[in-house]
Amino acid sequence: MIDITTDIFARLPAKSAARCRTLSKQWSSVLSTQDFAELFLTHSSTRPRLLFAVERNGLWTFFTSPQPQSSHSPVVTAEFHTKFAGDVSRYLCSYASGLILFPDVWIPSKSDDTNPVVCNPVTGKYATLPYLSIYRKSRAFLGFDPVGKQFKVLSEDRPFCSQSDHHQVLSLGEELSWRVKDGPQYDHCVSEAICIEGVLYYLAENFSDPRVVVRFDVRSEEFEFIEAGCFSGEEVAVKLINYKGNLAGVEWKYVKADDEKIVLELSLWVLEDVEMNEWVKSVYVLSEEKIVRRCNFSVAGMTGGGEIVLAMDYTTKPYYVFFFDPEKNTLRGVEVHGFGDKLEALGTRGRL
């Protein structure tokens, strides 16, 4: 049975719940449990929000804003949560179930080396993981097993100029140590990872063969390849997303239409049948003036309602986010305020 006090905490806004943690040792203990985190995420799903991780000169600032459910909310205000003071040496991070992994961060008060860090972007709490010696082009990803309620970090173990088939895995909450794990051999990763129902997916170059999606089961720690030659490998950005429970990928690029006007072309590839390796493609063209005039929008992800989220790459004011529904072929936008004068100024803007 859920304690009524815990249930009340779980229904609070994230910032309010974080403040309550500082008021009492007992509350701090309750609000730090995995059970509370899951209950909070359950309630949060009924009031979805957008998370903005803004980087400026190695400093990350985290905001959230309401996710508008209709076109009748043209403006929303972002709420500041916390700053991450470590010096992030590479503009890379991985998100899973409310936590963010930074693969290599230098925290002067902690170590002379860079270390992986897992951070809660709402509360600002973080955990430094053991040193991980990785090649500069290697990647590390955060995954969550919903059955075992276990977070794990997967890292490519790739020495310089080597096509290694070894990876490293670390389980959070246990004795923090890296374990070598044999996996499939490929050349290098070319996308961020996404975790869907306890499975990590990321896109990789496969030597002279077509691209593949690497599938890593967080619970069993087993690997598989999914053929993904549909992703061109040209100078086209690719974002893996959760499309209503299915793995999908979105490619986007600015192109000239027949009338010579610039438009944004989205190619949505949905993996309809894993066994048959069946990817279904749909192409959409967006000509919204705010998108094509700036030419600095990227695919940020997908909402639970099946809308592709397009966000500006920098926080220059005015800042826009668009929601595209592939089924209805509709586009709606929202202007986001609240990043602050410094991050919204052209000379000191942040990037997302």
Side-chain angles (χ1 to χ4, degrees), residues 88-94 101-105 114 116 132-142 153-168 178 186-193 202-204:
V88 180
S89 61
R90 292 189 297 165
Y91 185 67
L92 298 170
C93 61
S94 177
L101 167 72
F102 295 100
D104 48 354
V105 179
T114 60
L132 177 63
S133 178
I134 58 175
Y135 173 48
R136 63 183 177 84
K137 289 188 177 181
S138 298
R139 303 291 292 269
F141 308 114
L142 181 66
V153 179
L154 170 68
S155 172
E156 299 175 298
D157 183 11
R158 300 171 44 74
F160 183 70
C161 293
S162 170
Q163 289 83 32
S164 172
D165 58 355
H166 293 300
H167 297 72
Q168 296 184 75
W178 293 99
Y186 55 87
D187 189 40
H188 64 280
C189 170
V190 293
S191 80
E192 298 174 349
Y202 57 93
L203 191 63

Side-chain angles (χ1 to χ4, degrees), residues 159-208:
F160 183 70
C161 293
S162 170
Q163 289 83 32
S164 172
D165 58 355
H166 293 300
H167 297 72
Q168 296 184 75
V169 177
L170 180 145
S171 299
L172 301 186
E174 301 176 357
E175 180 180 349
L176 295 179
S177 61
W178 293 99
R179 296 175 279 110
V180 175
K181 181 74 178 178
D182 287 337
Q185 191 177 66
Y186 55 87
D187 189 40
H188 64 280
C189 170
V190 293
S191 80
E192 298 174 349
I194 184 170
C195 190
I196 303 175
E197 298 296 327
V199 178
L200 272 170
Y201 300 93
Y202 57 93
L203 191 63
E205 295 284 1
N206 194 24
F207 306 113
S208 59

Side-chain angles (χ1 to χ4, degrees), residues 201-239:
Y201 300 93
Y202 57 93
L203 191 63
E205 295 284 1
N206 194 24
F207 306 113
S208 59
D209 296 327
R211 284 181 168 182
V212 295
V213 169
V214 181
R215 180 187 188 276
F216 176 73
D217 188 298
V218 179
R219 184 170 177 80
S220 68
E221 299 185 4
E222 295 181 350
F223 289 89
E224 282 184 40
F225 271 169
I226 300 173
E227 293 181 13
C230 53
F231 297 109
S232 62
E234 301 171 359
E235 293 299 318
V236 180
V238 181
K239 177 80 171 182

Side-chain angles (χ1 to χ4, degrees), residues 70-132:
S70 70
S71 57
H72 300 299
S73 303
V75 178
V76 297
T77 300
E79 178 184 7
F80 166 77
H81 286 283
T82 188
K83 292 183 178 181
F84 185 71
D87 183 4
V88 180
S89 61
R90 292 189 297 165
Y91 185 67
L92 298 170
C93 61
S94 177
Y95 175 89
S97 296
L99 299 182
I100 293 179
L101 167 72
F102 295 100
D104 48 354
V105 179
W106 178 52
I107 302 177
S109 61
K110 298 289 185 179
S111 172
D112 292 333
D113 296 315
T114 60
N115 291 73
V117 168
V118 173
C119 172
N120 184 320
V122 174
T123 66
K125 294 183 67 175
Y126 68 89
T128 302
L129 307 184
Y131 175 72
L132 177 63

